[in-house]
DNA sequence: GCAGGCCGTGATAGCTTCTCACCCAAGCTT
DNA sequence: AAGCTTGGGTGAGAAGCTATCACGGCCTGC
């Protein structure tokens, strides 16, 4: 990120490598026990180090989790961007497919981004930039769809409250569709990953496809 | 619940009262610091007791949280039932309004029910009965709506996978609508309560109303 | 009135995050 | 090439947490 020289110093390389390994172990631990049970001590023991040694690399447990959240956002944005750039043009279905794949690949990672927030915690500034990047991909895909149906009252509301799009040229109906895309698919994924569909015998993937179809139809 | 005599013994009354006060303090603490930071020690100190005293009333921290989750489910079901029984017949809009009111009244309580699950934790048996009760209210309201639009492929899937409704007579399209009602409104509420709409200048209440309108329209 | 059971306490074990003082080695500078 | 600075690692320790145990004392039911 902030490189003074083209080649980093050995110390910086080593530091980056250790930081990466700490995050690696943290992800393994989170995937099995959840983020709330993440233990710096356990990570240090796994790496053959003593507990306080980790504090040379992350100022606190919250600092480590913040780094993980940041990486998760980045990973999601990359997955979405990859899906968006795969086809000839913006493709909402591809975006939806990528989102579901990313979520199912590591549910706890999804919950780290979209799950229960800790009341005191405030996300760092750059994550909002990444969410904006993801939102732009959704807006692009929605703007490319043919308009359908009459304008709803909420479309009119959005026409007056579109500062969050950052000068995106999409019409209000596309804004509405992008928001619905986000909230509906999140609702489905969130309940599925939390296990609220277990015991119900329908296929969540089929409902996901149905919800996407409804979104595309308008 | 399981009363052997009409009048409980003084000991049982005292025990129930202390248990209720513990849960009261726990709710206050959860509302401000979240469920993951709930501390039995802090509750005991607030009540002027020593730490281990609480273990006479709840076997463990998880046991207390389980009781809170159970109460939250019960509270949600009661709020839904109250809204459903207020009007002349089943009313999906009233149900949606009650759901949103219940969620906004205590966001952490909502997250306790629908938020990030703890990987090891398994909900007790009776909560599934309460979710079934809530689902029945939604199915009743959806069955009362006029059918609209052609049957989707997912409707056909639901016709073959409807064991989770427990012999509810609603047609597949109503099943689909009830599921969409649940997942879409949850998606909206979950993102709003988690603060993912802060910084965006549109009104979540208006989008909630728009999503409800779309649900009612078909 | 009395005995039994329940409630609360202090002590204790084991875990956690996190701070501090110290040591040592790697690397940059002269 | 030698020395000094910088930064990594360790052990000890404080403060907090959950949870268990043995021990007193009050309340309750008989």
């Amino acid at each position: 990120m902030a490189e003074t020289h083209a080649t980093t110093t050995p110390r910086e390389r080593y530091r980056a490598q250790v930081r990466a390994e700490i995050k690696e172990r943290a992800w393994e631990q989170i995937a099995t026990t959840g983020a709330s049970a993440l233990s710096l001590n356990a990570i240090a023991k796994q790496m053959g180090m003593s507990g306080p040694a980790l504090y040379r690399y992350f100022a606190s447990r919250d600092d480590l989790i913040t780094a993980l959240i940041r990486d998760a956002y980045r990973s999601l944005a990359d997955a979405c961007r990859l899906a968006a750039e795969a086809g000839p043009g913006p493709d909402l279905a591809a975006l939806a497919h990528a989102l579901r794949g990313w979520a199912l690949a590591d549910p706890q990672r999804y919950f780290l981004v979209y799950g229960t927030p800790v009341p005191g915690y405030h996300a760092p500034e750059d994550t909002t930039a990444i969410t904006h990047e993801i939102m732009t991909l959704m807006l692009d895909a929605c703007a490319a769809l043919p308009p359908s149906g009459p304008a709803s009252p909420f479309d009119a509301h959005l026409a007056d409250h579109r500062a969050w799009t950052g000068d995106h040229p999409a019409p209000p109906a596309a804004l509405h569709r992008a928001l619905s895309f986000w909230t509906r698919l999140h609702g489905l994924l969130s309940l599925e990953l939390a296990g609220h569909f277990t015991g119900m015998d329908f296929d969540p993937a089929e409902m996901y496809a149905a919800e996407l179809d409804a979104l595309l139809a308008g």
Side-chain angles (χ1 to χ4, degrees), chain A residues 15 19 22 40 52-65 67:
Chain A
R15 183 176 179 82
R19 270 181 74 104
I22 292 174
L40 293 191
L54 291 199
Y55 287 81
R56 297 279 179 191
Y57 300 94
F58 293 95
S60 71
R61 182 174 173 274
D62 270 15
D63 200 54
L64 171 57
I65 293 183

Side-chain angles (χ1 to χ4, degrees), chain A residues 25-39 42 61 108:
Chain A
R25 307 281 184 176
W27 278 120
E28 295 169 8
Q29 204 172 320
I30 282 181
T32 60
T33 66
S36 61
L38 188 139
S39 160
R61 182 174 173 274
Q108 289 297 326

Side-chain angles (χ1 to χ4, degrees), chain A residues 76 79 93-107 109-110 189 192-193 208:
Chain A
L76 174 58
L95 217 51
H97 189 255
L99 176 62
R100 185 157 204 271
W102 186 85
L104 290 180
D106 189 344
R109 184 181 54 179
Y110 186 88
L189 283 175
E192 177 183 2
L193 297 181
Y208 194 83

Side-chain angles (χ1 to χ4, degrees), chain A residues 111-205:
Chain A
F111 285 124
L112 209 54
V113 171
Y114 288 118
T116 307
V118 178
Y121 180 80
H122 271 291
E125 195 60 34
D126 52 357
T127 61
T128 67
I130 305 182
T131 61
H132 193 81
E133 183 182 331
I134 300 173
M135 183 55 79
T136 299
L137 290 173
M138 293 196 281
L139 285 171
D140 287 342
C142 288
L145 289 175
S148 66
S152 72
F154 184 57
D155 288 11
H157 176 76
L158 283 179
D160 283 341
H161 300 84
R162 52 181 303 154
W164 53 276
T165 63
D167 293 336
H168 197 283
L175 270 48
H176 188 173
R177 180 128 58 172
L179 284 178
S180 289
F181 178 86
W182 183 27
T183 61
R184 291 186 191 178
L185 296 190
H186 162 71
L188 218 25
L189 283 175
S190 160
L191 290 175
E192 177 183 2
L193 297 181
H196 281 100
F197 292 159
T198 58
M200 306 190 177
D201 54 339
F202 70 88
D203 184 1

